[in-house]
Amino acid sequence: MDDLLARTAPLGIRPLPAMARFMLQARPATLAGVPLGIVLPPACRATEAGGRAALWLGPGAYLLRTTPADGPALAAALEQALAGQAHALVEVSDRLTALELAGEEAAAVLNAGCPLDLDLAACPVGFCARSVLGKAGILLWRTGAARFLLEIERSFTPYVHGFLAEAGREFGG
Amino acid sequence: MSQALRTAEGGRIDRANPLGFSFDGRSYRGFAGDTLASALLANGVHLLARSFKYHRPRGLLTAGSDEPNALVELARDAARCTPNLRATQIELYEGLRARSQNRTPSLAFDLGAVNDRLAPLLPAGFYYKTFMWPKAAWKRLYEPSIRAMAGLGRAPTRPDPDRYAQRYAHCDVLVVGSGPAGLAAALAAAESGARVILCDEQAAFGGTLLAEDEARIEGGSAEAFRAASLATLAAAPRVRLLARTTAFGYFPHNMVGLAERITDHLAAPDPRLPRERLWQVRAREVVLATGAHERPLVFPENDRPGIMLAEAARVYLTRYGVRPGTRAVLATAHDGAYRTALALHRAGVEIAAIADLRGTAGGAWPAAARDAGLPVRLSTTILGTTGRRRVARVDLARLDADGRCGVVEPVPCDLLLMSGGFTPSVHLFSQSRGRLRFDDTLQAYLPDTPAERTHVAGACRGLVALADVLADGYAAGAAAAQAAGCNRAPSARPFPVTARESPAGGMLGALPGNRPGARAFVDFQNDVTAKDLALATREGFRSIEHIKRYTTTGMATDQGKSSNMNALGIVADALGSPIPAIGLTTFRMPYTPTSFGIFAGAARGDLFEPLRMTPMHAQAAALGAVFEDVGQWKRARYFPRAGEDMAAAVARECRAVRSACGLFDASTLGKIEIVGPDAATFLERLYVNAWHRLPSGRCRYGLLLREDGFIFDDGVIGRLATDRFHVTTTTGGIGRVLAMMEDYRQTEWPELDVWLTATTEQWAVLALQGPRAKDILAPLVEAVDLAAMTHMSLAEGRIAGVPLRLFRVSFTGEMGFEVNVPASAGAAVWEALMAAGAACGLTPYGTEAMHVLRAEKGYLVIGQDTDGTVSPDDAGLGRMVARGKPDFIGKRALEAMAARPAGGRQHLVGLLSETPAQVLEEGAQIVAETDGARLGHVTSAYYSPTLGRAIALAMVRDGRARLGERLRVALPEAPAREGHAVRVVAPVFYDPEGARLDG
């Protein structure tokens, strides 16, 4: 594992610090006016404001990300707003790790193992989707024209790192 | 050796950039832009290979990827060694080292050539006929010898040090082939605004334009058109040009596999670059512009070095500046040979004869040849050739009006060129399951109805004239772009072409006058002759699919590119049926041989499979744990101390758990959080157990069945709140359990307000098991009343400063807790527990001890003790089924099972061998002592340190009625009745009352 991580040095692949994360699920109508501080995104999109982000995972299913410090406040606000309404809020902060992939060839490197069409027309900034990278599942979020954020199941992190580092080698990464 | 046959000028080679290379240890010179084939020809080398079966000397037949003969081995070093490469596709680089194959000891003198003399004994299907007797000799003599002789190149034995990349890509229009049709298609699609990928197997784009020295396109040379078109495409932002890239497979839904060769042509490749790349292209529309292959003529001894296709010779001359010989005979049924003859004549090659099978040759090219004074002989066939390592003489004969051969006229030559016309390359179209039709005029199979969103353009659909091909490609590209949703129509472009009338003609099958005893090759790579095909038809084969398999024609790595149509012609002749009645064999991927490496891609070494490690992996490793693979997980199996083997370590770990306390990493257990007002109802419908009345703060062992009533998964489920459950599953079952639950939730019971969240990796799980567990835990936990926690209870609080979900559960039979903490805190909590437990003798234990401990208690492991055909009652868990519930998954099946006559099912029981130390073999058959009847099998078997003897769990027919009975467990090497004697006992070996669970 260590040498996998060592190969990761290159430009563009950066592990991101710990975050608070929640899975929020309910019937879509229930979530319409939920006080997140951000607008819940439409299908296959993520929205972000004030350090909080919501990523669409499916109808009525979102991954919420915020700073560790803001996590309890966010959870409390949601539970308060949704009290009495059927919903599920589950903390998954430690289930996932995140890394950022940036650079001109970021999409090409991702396409080494991810079959999504990452052309800006098909996958604009703000696009998010669950997909695969090689043999690992990923949640992909395009945060810039040449910048992606990946959410990875914790134990798949070394694999995803190693895979991206290997795929990035030809670009000097 | 000098490049004696190099022209003074011309060709696309870079004469300012000479390169040194070697073939079979001999040094030669060539130029950048050469292929190995063209460079060897320039040096007068024609003998490049030995054939597969008869070891006949062979040279170049073609100038492209359809080459059947000239397969060589390329070796950069001992590990980078690639066999069976086509010399026609190998780009020359400085220092290239190539070797011939399939010869002992040398290419010029090959012992295997004895097969050529034995040819009468080696007809088609000889191995079905010849090696039948004596039977014993097959294994010891025939098969090893045949294996030693079979095959062409040698596979390298060292690991491949090169890297291989993979890439997914999407486009509106994928154009395969960059000849005139493909270039025009790409231009049209690009102008329409489409996202375009244009790929070509060659190093340079342009296809036939690369050797087009006569036609003028849009008022300029073909080269000017090619260069301008490529410049336009290169400048277009949404066009990707992939050279050296073979479209090798056409898969469903317009997925096309491309193999890109990235470094093979470089003398010193950048080590960061992968050698090859697999492109998996999902194209909205595909344009196939794959061109056509020239066909050889089938006449006796048509396979000698120096005998090649006429168009190939013209390519060597015009594109590479090489005269393939000094005195040429051309044998043809197609006008193209005349064009080659003219070009060779201009380059100073003596044309000894143009032998045309046809009675007339009235086209523009034959006329030009006659005007140039070339010796044209009409109605002329070839009866044979001579020349050991290079053709030296051709025997021509005139055909009279009835097709009879006249006097033999020997014509000396060192080059014999042949042209039987062109076969459209329909491989990819056929791979995509598109339907072909036979065109009587063209005598060719052409694409008919596509099965995918495929457009076909140019020579691969039978077009010949350059102007037609360009216009067709442009129209196909425009149509493809429009079909892909690009609305900008490209500008009209008529592609005016000035050229001589296009060559015409062609034939299928064998030439008349095939001498008895002479071999006329049809499939050069598999050494199949016209006689072999005739023999197959005489032996009763009718379908081309059967004839192909019997004779192996078209089954070589070249996929019969040069041979299939001639084979069809010969069979049609022999059977007296038209070609469409004989059929056509199916084309399969890959179009040309493809490296395994690209399919593996990054999946090797550490990246072969994700290695999943738990949050406490480093702690276990530091304690010297030996790990085992459980799916993708690495789990600590046991923790040997100095001098301990596995048995000793496991015994110590088991004793520690039973006498003091053990610590076990159970993080890999699957976890799902089920939340919502209908959560209990949801579980009620899924599991066999009752859930509504389970109070918050309590746990229950849950059993999940499939619809067929057999056990699917199990695990402890804890109720955190009225509307929130913490569900655990088996390590391996989490994926299918979650999928099953989501399936029911979304499709069967959408009315339920309940949601699932996978939480396996949210929690690190530390199982603290043993009588001292509570003592160790007590000082570390906050906000948890340990004393109040009875067996199967849970509490939330804090431990070592982090949030805690504490389950009082046991998979060992001892009082125990499962400490769930956020994954990031797992390591710290492990350290804290180890420190707190040191004084109590806290001992880390692994999966092996866990298995022994649970087997002592008869706790079953799904997938080990069950196999998908075990009902709750079979497993002794019938009492868990809440039969009063209105429904649950598997309920109807259980009722049906209960309605059947009792008896006959296998039950989970314990086995004690009569030799106490004898650990049975898991999987061993269990038989009755009296009659040897098979009764079941051993599912789990261990040595129990606690009991000081071996124990086993087993599934035995009517097992619960056999308690106390003596049975036998079969040994692999002994008759059933001589197996181990065992006694059937209840499947709980230790603390059957469960008193220890209460601490």
Tab-separated table of all heavy atoms in Angstrom, chain A residues 25-27 87 89 92-95 108 111-112 115 117 119 135 154-156 166 169-170 172, chain B residues 163 166 168 170 195 277 608-609 612 724 750-753 755-758 761-762 822-824:
chain	number	residue	atom	x	y	z
A	25	GLN	N	-32.184	10.941	2.848
A	25	GLN	CA	-33.149	10.315	1.943
A	25	GLN	C	-34.562	10.558	2.467
A	25	GLN	O	-34.802	10.536	3.675
A	25	GLN	CB	-32.918	8.801	1.846
A	25	GLN	CG	-31.546	8.434	1.294
A	25	GLN	CD	-31.359	6.929	1.223
A	25	GLN	OE1	-31.743	6.290	0.263
A	25	GLN	NE2	-30.768	6.363	2.259
A	26	ALA	N	-35.457	10.780	1.538
A	26	ALA	CA	-36.878	10.965	1.862
A	26	ALA	C	-37.629	10.969	0.547
A	26	ALA	O	-37.019	10.924	-0.522
A	26	ALA	CB	-37.101	12.286	2.600
A	27	ARG	N	-38.953	11.035	0.650
A	27	ARG	CA	-39.702	11.212	-0.598
A	27	ARG	C	-39.375	12.606	-1.120
A	27	ARG	O	-39.287	13.561	-0.334
A	27	ARG	CB	-41.197	11.049	-0.337
A	27	ARG	CG	-41.507	9.631	0.141
A	27	ARG	CD	-42.947	9.242	-0.038
A	27	ARG	NE	-43.151	7.901	0.524
A	27	ARG	CZ	-43.085	6.778	-0.194
A	27	ARG	NH1	-42.822	6.840	-1.493
A	27	ARG	NH2	-43.252	5.597	0.369
A	87	HIS	N	-38.222	10.486	6.912
A	87	HIS	CA	-36.952	10.738	6.232
A	87	HIS	C	-35.894	9.870	6.895
A	87	HIS	O	-36.132	9.246	7.931
A	87	HIS	CB	-36.562	12.208	6.345
A	87	HIS	CG	-36.104	12.585	7.726
A	87	HIS	ND1	-36.996	12.813	8.768
A	87	HIS	CD2	-34.863	12.741	8.256
A	87	HIS	CE1	-36.311	13.097	9.872
A	87	HIS	NE2	-35.013	13.059	9.587
A	89	LEU	N	-31.752	10.276	7.868
A	89	LEU	CA	-30.503	11.020	7.879
A	89	LEU	C	-29.487	10.136	8.599
A	89	LEU	O	-29.670	9.797	9.765
A	89	LEU	CB	-30.676	12.354	8.605
A	89	LEU	CG	-29.437	13.254	8.589
A	89	LEU	CD1	-29.202	13.826	7.195
A	89	LEU	CD2	-29.580	14.401	9.601
A	92	VAL	N	-22.297	9.427	7.496
A	92	VAL	CA	-21.363	8.536	6.798
A	92	VAL	C	-20.001	9.213	6.616
A	92	VAL	O	-19.279	8.945	5.662
A	92	VAL	CB	-21.922	8.076	5.417
A	92	VAL	CG1	-23.079	7.116	5.596
A	92	VAL	CG2	-22.330	9.274	4.571
A	93	SER	N	-19.678	10.097	7.564
A	93	SER	CA	-18.427	10.869	7.442
A	93	SER	C	-17.225	9.981	7.194
A	93	SER	O	-16.347	10.286	6.388
A	93	SER	CB	-18.172	11.660	8.726
A	93	SER	OG	-19.263	12.488	9.007
A	94	ASP	N	-17.155	8.849	7.910
A	94	ASP	CA	-15.962	8.012	7.847
A	94	ASP	C	-16.039	6.922	6.792
A	94	ASP	O	-15.075	6.222	6.547
A	94	ASP	CB	-15.720	7.356	9.217
A	94	ASP	CG	-15.094	8.335	10.188
A	94	ASP	OD1	-15.219	9.554	9.955
A	94	ASP	OD2	-14.478	7.883	11.172
A	95	ARG	N	-17.222	6.787	6.200
A	95	ARG	CA	-17.368	5.746	5.184
A	95	ARG	C	-16.588	6.120	3.933
A	95	ARG	O	-16.126	5.264	3.189
A	95	ARG	CB	-18.850	5.607	4.835
A	95	ARG	CG	-19.147	4.455	3.912
A	95	ARG	CD	-20.622	4.455	3.535
A	95	ARG	NE	-20.805	4.840	2.147
A	95	ARG	CZ	-21.992	5.053	1.597
A	95	ARG	NH1	-23.097	4.969	2.316
A	95	ARG	NH2	-22.076	5.365	0.334
A	108	ALA	N	-9.042	12.627	-19.012
A	108	ALA	CA	-8.437	11.475	-19.697
A	108	ALA	C	-7.985	10.440	-18.686
A	108	ALA	O	-8.164	9.236	-18.886
A	108	ALA	CB	-7.255	11.937	-20.548
A	111	ASN	N	-10.942	8.641	-17.410
A	111	ASN	CA	-11.492	7.744	-18.420
A	111	ASN	C	-10.638	6.492	-18.624
A	111	ASN	O	-11.022	5.587	-19.360
A	111	ASN	CB	-11.695	8.476	-19.759
A	111	ASN	CG	-13.045	9.145	-19.867
A	111	ASN	OD1	-13.189	10.194	-20.469
A	111	ASN	ND2	-14.070	8.528	-19.267
A	112	ALA	N	-9.507	6.433	-17.956
A	112	ALA	CA	-8.750	5.177	-17.992
A	112	ALA	C	-9.542	4.067	-17.313
A	112	ALA	O	-9.354	2.890	-17.623
A	112	ALA	CB	-7.400	5.351	-17.300
A	115	PRO	N	-16.163	4.753	-17.281
A	115	PRO	CA	-16.767	4.769	-18.613
A	115	PRO	C	-17.688	5.953	-18.896
A	115	PRO	O	-18.241	6.033	-19.975
A	115	PRO	CB	-17.551	3.454	-18.655
A	115	PRO	CG	-17.832	3.121	-17.244
A	115	PRO	CD	-16.766	3.744	-16.400
A	117	ASP	N	-19.019	9.572	-20.041
A	117	ASP	CA	-18.605	10.562	-21.039
A	117	ASP	C	-18.286	11.854	-20.289
A	117	ASP	O	-19.180	12.499	-19.750
A	117	ASP	CB	-19.739	10.785	-22.040
A	117	ASP	CG	-19.323	11.716	-23.181
A	117	ASP	OD1	-18.192	12.250	-23.124
A	117	ASP	OD2	-20.130	11.898	-24.104
A	119	ASP	N	-16.921	14.587	-21.529
A	119	ASP	CA	-16.930	15.788	-22.353
A	119	ASP	C	-17.772	16.846	-21.640
A	119	ASP	O	-18.794	16.528	-21.046
A	119	ASP	CB	-17.535	15.448	-23.715
A	119	ASP	CG	-17.437	16.600	-24.688
A	119	ASP	OD1	-16.323	16.837	-25.178
A	119	ASP	OD2	-18.467	17.266	-24.938
A	135	LYS	N	-11.928	-1.262	-10.769
A	135	LYS	CA	-12.740	-2.189	-9.989
A	135	LYS	C	-13.290	-1.561	-8.711
A	135	LYS	O	-13.686	-2.274	-7.802
A	135	LYS	CB	-11.915	-3.437	-9.657
A	135	LYS	CG	-11.507	-4.209	-10.906
A	135	LYS	CD	-10.686	-5.423	-10.572
A	135	LYS	CE	-10.317	-6.176	-11.848
A	135	LYS	NZ	-9.478	-7.344	-11.584
A	154	ARG	N	-14.005	4.082	1.853
A	154	ARG	CA	-12.750	4.197	2.590
A	154	ARG	C	-11.683	3.162	2.186
A	154	ARG	O	-10.549	3.527	1.861
A	154	ARG	CB	-13.061	4.050	4.074
A	154	ARG	CG	-11.871	4.152	4.957
A	154	ARG	CD	-12.266	4.052	6.422
A	154	ARG	NE	-11.218	4.677	7.198
A	154	ARG	CZ	-11.184	5.947	7.511
A	154	ARG	NH1	-12.177	6.727	7.156
A	154	ARG	NH2	-10.177	6.451	8.169
A	155	SER	N	-12.047	1.879	2.159
A	155	SER	CA	-11.023	0.855	1.950
A	155	SER	C	-10.569	0.776	0.496
A	155	SER	O	-9.591	0.098	0.198
A	155	SER	CB	-11.521	-0.515	2.414
A	155	SER	OG	-12.606	-0.923	1.611
A	156	PHE	N	-11.284	1.445	-0.393
A	156	PHE	CA	-10.871	1.453	-1.795
A	156	PHE	C	-9.912	2.602	-2.097
A	156	PHE	O	-9.457	2.761	-3.222
A	156	PHE	CB	-12.093	1.539	-2.715
A	156	PHE	CG	-12.877	0.253	-2.807
A	156	PHE	CD1	-13.951	0.023	-1.968
A	156	PHE	CD2	-12.515	-0.731	-3.714
A	156	PHE	CE1	-14.670	-1.163	-2.043
A	156	PHE	CE2	-13.224	-1.922	-3.793
A	156	PHE	CZ	-14.306	-2.142	-2.949
A	166	GLU	N	-1.189	5.444	-11.729
A	166	GLU	CA	-0.732	4.627	-12.861
A	166	GLU	C	-1.228	5.227	-14.178
A	166	GLU	O	-0.473	5.378	-15.135
A	166	GLU	CB	-1.259	3.200	-12.676
A	166	GLU	CG	-1.083	2.272	-13.853
A	166	GLU	CD	0.360	1.897	-14.120
A	166	GLU	OE1	1.183	2.037	-13.193
A	166	GLU	OE2	0.668	1.475	-15.251
A	169	ARG	N	0.633	8.423	-15.262
A	169	ARG	CA	2.082	8.409	-15.496
A	169	ARG	C	2.470	8.936	-16.858
A	169	ARG	O	3.458	9.646	-16.996
A	169	ARG	CB	2.614	6.978	-15.332
A	169	ARG	CG	3.404	6.827	-14.057
A	169	ARG	CD	3.723	5.402	-13.781
A	169	ARG	NE	4.725	4.867	-14.687
A	169	ARG	CZ	5.387	3.742	-14.461
A	169	ARG	NH1	5.160	3.067	-13.354
A	169	ARG	NH2	6.257	3.302	-15.307
A	170	GLU	N	1.685	8.622	-17.878
A	170	GLU	CA	2.081	9.045	-19.222
A	170	GLU	C	1.956	10.558	-19.396
A	170	GLU	O	2.468	11.112	-20.360
A	170	GLU	CB	1.268	8.322	-20.279
A	170	GLU	CG	-0.202	8.645	-20.254
A	170	GLU	CD	-0.947	7.924	-21.371
A	170	GLU	OE1	-0.708	8.272	-22.526
A	170	GLU	OE2	-1.740	7.028	-21.061
A	172	GLY	N	3.119	12.582	-17.234
A	172	GLY	CA	4.143	13.149	-16.367
A	172	GLY	C	3.700	13.192	-14.928
A	172	GLY	O	4.319	13.814	-14.086
B	163	ARG	N	3.934	-1.512	-19.834
B	163	ARG	CA	2.670	-1.127	-19.240
B	163	ARG	C	1.636	-0.951	-20.343
B	163	ARG	O	1.974	-0.593	-21.470
B	163	ARG	CB	2.833	0.153	-18.428
B	163	ARG	CG	3.679	-0.072	-17.187
B	163	ARG	CD	4.209	1.210	-16.584
B	163	ARG	NE	3.162	2.184	-16.402
B	163	ARG	CZ	3.038	3.270	-17.157
B	163	ARG	NH1	3.902	3.526	-18.103
B	163	ARG	NH2	2.067	4.109	-16.937
B	166	GLN	N	-5.649	1.829	-20.709
B	166	GLN	CA	-7.010	1.673	-21.217
B	166	GLN	C	-7.692	3.035	-21.179
B	166	GLN	O	-7.369	3.870	-20.348
B	166	GLN	CB	-7.796	0.669	-20.366
B	166	GLN	CG	-7.192	-0.730	-20.419
B	166	GLN	CD	-7.931	-1.726	-19.561
B	166	GLN	OE1	-8.568	-1.351	-18.581
B	166	GLN	NE2	-7.837	-2.993	-19.905
B	168	TYR	N	-11.718	4.815	-21.907
B	168	TYR	CA	-13.069	4.862	-22.442
B	168	TYR	C	-13.214	6.174	-23.208
B	168	TYR	O	-12.688	7.204	-22.787
B	168	TYR	CB	-14.110	4.836	-21.318
B	168	TYR	CG	-14.175	3.518	-20.583
B	168	TYR	CD1	-13.477	3.313	-19.406
B	168	TYR	CD2	-14.960	2.477	-21.080
B	168	TYR	CE1	-13.549	2.110	-18.723
B	168	TYR	CE2	-15.040	1.267	-20.401
B	168	TYR	CZ	-14.336	1.088	-19.229
B	168	TYR	OH	-14.413	-0.097	-18.560
B	170	HIS	N	-16.064	8.496	-25.898
B	170	HIS	CA	-17.375	8.634	-26.523
B	170	HIS	C	-17.232	9.555	-27.723
B	170	HIS	O	-16.412	10.473	-27.697
B	170	HIS	CB	-18.382	9.246	-25.541
B	170	HIS	CG	-18.595	8.412	-24.317
B	170	HIS	ND1	-19.732	7.679	-24.101
B	170	HIS	CD2	-17.791	8.173	-23.248
B	170	HIS	CE1	-19.629	7.036	-22.949
B	170	HIS	NE2	-18.458	7.319	-22.420
B	195	ARG	N	-18.518	15.233	-32.871
B	195	ARG	CA	-17.331	14.772	-32.175
B	195	ARG	C	-16.866	13.508	-32.902
B	195	ARG	O	-17.614	12.544	-32.990
B	195	ARG	CB	-17.680	14.465	-30.725
B	195	ARG	CG	-16.492	14.284	-29.856
B	195	ARG	CD	-16.755	14.628	-28.377
B	195	ARG	NE	-17.965	14.106	-27.790
B	195	ARG	CZ	-17.999	13.431	-26.637
B	195	ARG	NH1	-16.888	13.158	-25.997
B	195	ARG	NH2	-19.139	13.062	-26.121
B	277	ARG	N	-2.546	0.866	-25.920
B	277	ARG	CA	-3.718	1.320	-25.192
B	277	ARG	C	-4.979	0.703	-25.800
B	277	ARG	O	-5.130	0.679	-27.015
B	277	ARG	CB	-3.827	2.855	-25.247
B	277	ARG	CG	-4.945	3.397	-24.369
B	277	ARG	CD	-5.293	4.860	-24.641
B	277	ARG	NE	-4.168	5.697	-24.989
B	277	ARG	CZ	-3.389	6.318	-24.107
B	277	ARG	NH1	-3.623	6.202	-22.827
B	277	ARG	NH2	-2.386	7.061	-24.529
B	608	PHE	N	-4.199	-5.379	-9.298
B	608	PHE	CA	-4.953	-6.462	-9.927
B	608	PHE	C	-6.385	-6.473	-9.399
B	608	PHE	O	-7.331	-6.653	-10.144
B	608	PHE	CB	-4.289	-7.812	-9.654
B	608	PHE	CG	-5.077	-8.959	-10.210
B	608	PHE	CD1	-5.217	-9.116	-11.574
B	608	PHE	CD2	-5.709	-9.861	-9.372
B	608	PHE	CE1	-5.963	-10.159	-12.102
B	608	PHE	CE2	-6.456	-10.912	-9.891
B	608	PHE	CZ	-6.584	-11.056	-11.253
B	609	GLU	N	-6.489	-6.267	-8.117
B	609	GLU	CA	-7.791	-6.278	-7.455
B	609	GLU	C	-7.647	-5.302	-6.288
B	609	GLU	O	-6.569	-5.223	-5.705
B	609	GLU	CB	-8.051	-7.704	-6.948
B	609	GLU	CG	-9.428	-8.012	-6.451
B	609	GLU	CD	-10.479	-8.115	-7.562
B	609	GLU	OE1	-10.101	-8.265	-8.742
B	609	GLU	OE2	-11.657	-8.023	-7.220
B	612	ARG	N	-8.514	-4.411	0.082
B	612	ARG	CA	-9.236	-3.620	1.082
B	612	ARG	C	-8.679	-3.957	2.460
B	612	ARG	O	-8.565	-5.119	2.823
B	612	ARG	CB	-10.734	-3.911	1.004
B	612	ARG	CG	-11.299	-3.655	-0.375
B	612	ARG	CD	-12.766	-4.001	-0.448
B	612	ARG	NE	-13.594	-3.117	0.372
B	612	ARG	CZ	-14.898	-3.284	0.553
B	612	ARG	NH1	-15.510	-4.325	-0.011
B	612	ARG	NH2	-15.582	-2.456	1.305
B	724	ARG	N	-35.206	3.194	13.606
B	724	ARG	CA	-33.809	3.089	13.162
B	724	ARG	C	-33.207	1.767	13.617
B	724	ARG	O	-33.191	1.464	14.812
B	724	ARG	CB	-33.012	4.262	13.734
B	724	ARG	CG	-31.600	4.409	13.164
B	724	ARG	CD	-30.910	5.664	13.693
B	724	ARG	NE	-31.512	6.876	13.165
B	724	ARG	CZ	-30.953	7.650	12.219
B	724	ARG	NH1	-29.768	7.342	11.743
B	724	ARG	NH2	-31.563	8.729	11.784
B	750	PRO	N	-43.067	0.000	-2.543
B	750	PRO	CA	-42.766	1.443	-2.631
B	750	PRO	C	-43.600	2.264	-1.655
B	750	PRO	O	-43.308	3.437	-1.426
B	750	PRO	CB	-43.085	1.782	-4.091
B	750	PRO	CG	-44.035	0.726	-4.542
B	750	PRO	CD	-43.687	-0.508	-3.773
B	751	GLU	N	-44.624	1.650	-1.087
B	751	GLU	CA	-45.480	2.411	-0.158
B	751	GLU	C	-44.805	2.599	1.204
B	751	GLU	O	-45.247	3.427	1.999
B	751	GLU	CB	-46.836	1.699	0.008
B	751	GLU	CG	-46.815	0.437	0.878
B	751	GLU	CD	-46.270	-0.810	0.164
B	751	GLU	OE1	-45.806	-0.686	-0.984
B	751	GLU	OE2	-46.304	-1.902	0.765
B	752	LEU	N	-43.768	1.839	1.486
B	752	LEU	CA	-43.131	1.936	2.806
B	752	LEU	C	-42.223	3.157	2.864
B	752	LEU	O	-41.464	3.433	1.942
B	752	LEU	CB	-42.314	0.675	3.097
B	752	LEU	CG	-43.081	-0.645	3.229
B	752	LEU	CD1	-42.137	-1.760	3.656
B	752	LEU	CD2	-44.229	-0.516	4.231
B	753	ASP	N	-42.289	3.872	3.971
B	753	ASP	CA	-41.375	4.988	4.202
B	753	ASP	C	-40.156	4.446	4.942
B	753	ASP	O	-40.108	4.412	6.178
B	753	ASP	CB	-42.070	6.081	5.033
B	753	ASP	CG	-42.912	7.000	4.162
B	753	ASP	OD1	-42.568	7.170	2.973
B	753	ASP	OD2	-43.917	7.533	4.666
B	755	TRP	N	-35.670	3.823	4.334
B	755	TRP	CA	-34.515	4.064	3.470
B	755	TRP	C	-33.308	3.302	3.996
B	755	TRP	O	-33.175	3.090	5.214
B	755	TRP	CB	-34.216	5.565	3.390
B	755	TRP	CG	-35.324	6.288	2.686
B	755	TRP	CD1	-35.464	6.443	1.344
B	755	TRP	CD2	-36.465	6.927	3.281
B	755	TRP	NE1	-36.626	7.133	1.056
B	755	TRP	CE2	-37.258	7.440	2.226
B	755	TRP	CE3	-36.917	7.099	4.594
B	755	TRP	CZ2	-38.453	8.122	2.435
B	755	TRP	CZ3	-38.104	7.780	4.815
B	755	TRP	CH2	-38.873	8.297	3.733
B	756	LEU	N	-32.465	2.926	3.069
B	756	LEU	CA	-31.288	2.123	3.399
B	756	LEU	C	-30.029	2.944	3.192
B	756	LEU	O	-29.912	3.659	2.203
B	756	LEU	CB	-31.207	0.891	2.486
B	756	LEU	CG	-32.502	0.102	2.315
B	756	LEU	CD1	-32.317	-0.999	1.280
B	756	LEU	CD2	-32.916	-0.494	3.643
B	757	THR	N	-29.101	2.826	4.095
B	757	THR	CA	-27.803	3.460	3.917
B	757	THR	C	-26.724	2.423	4.214
B	757	THR	O	-26.731	1.807	5.286
B	757	THR	CB	-27.632	4.654	4.873
B	757	THR	OG1	-28.706	5.572	4.660
B	757	THR	CG2	-26.309	5.370	4.622
B	758	ALA	N	-25.838	2.236	3.254
B	758	ALA	CA	-24.724	1.309	3.486
B	758	ALA	C	-23.760	1.954	4.468
B	758	ALA	O	-23.332	3.089	4.273
B	758	ALA	CB	-24.015	1.013	2.169
B	761	GLU	N	-18.424	0.704	5.915
B	761	GLU	CA	-17.117	1.333	6.093
B	761	GLU	C	-17.165	2.545	7.020
B	761	GLU	O	-16.153	3.173	7.281
B	761	GLU	CB	-16.557	1.737	4.720
B	761	GLU	CG	-16.397	0.531	3.826
B	761	GLU	CD	-15.027	0.471	3.198
B	761	GLU	OE1	-14.047	0.826	3.878
B	761	GLU	OE2	-14.953	0.079	2.032
B	762	GLN	N	-18.376	2.887	7.497
B	762	GLN	CA	-18.467	3.989	8.466
B	762	GLN	C	-17.893	3.547	9.811
B	762	GLN	O	-17.324	4.336	10.542
B	762	GLN	CB	-19.939	4.412	8.618
B	762	GLN	CG	-20.247	5.316	9.800
B	762	GLN	CD	-19.648	6.716	9.658
B	762	GLN	OE1	-19.249	7.122	8.569
B	762	GLN	NE2	-19.570	7.446	10.770
B	822	PRO	N	-16.463	5.182	14.793
B	822	PRO	CA	-16.203	5.687	13.430
B	822	PRO	C	-14.847	5.171	12.933
B	822	PRO	O	-13.876	5.095	13.694
B	822	PRO	CB	-16.193	7.209	13.616
B	822	PRO	CG	-17.086	7.426	14.797
B	822	PRO	CD	-16.834	6.252	15.703
B	823	ALA	N	-14.815	4.819	11.661
B	823	ALA	CA	-13.656	4.117	11.117
B	823	ALA	C	-12.354	4.837	11.405
B	823	ALA	O	-11.328	4.204	11.693
B	823	ALA	CB	-13.840	3.931	9.613
B	824	SER	N	-12.389	6.166	11.346
B	824	SER	CA	-11.135	6.905	11.532
B	824	SER	C	-10.596	6.756	12.955
B	824	SER	O	-9.427	7.024	13.209
B	824	SER	CB	-11.347	8.391	11.208
B	824	SER	OG	-12.366	8.913	12.048
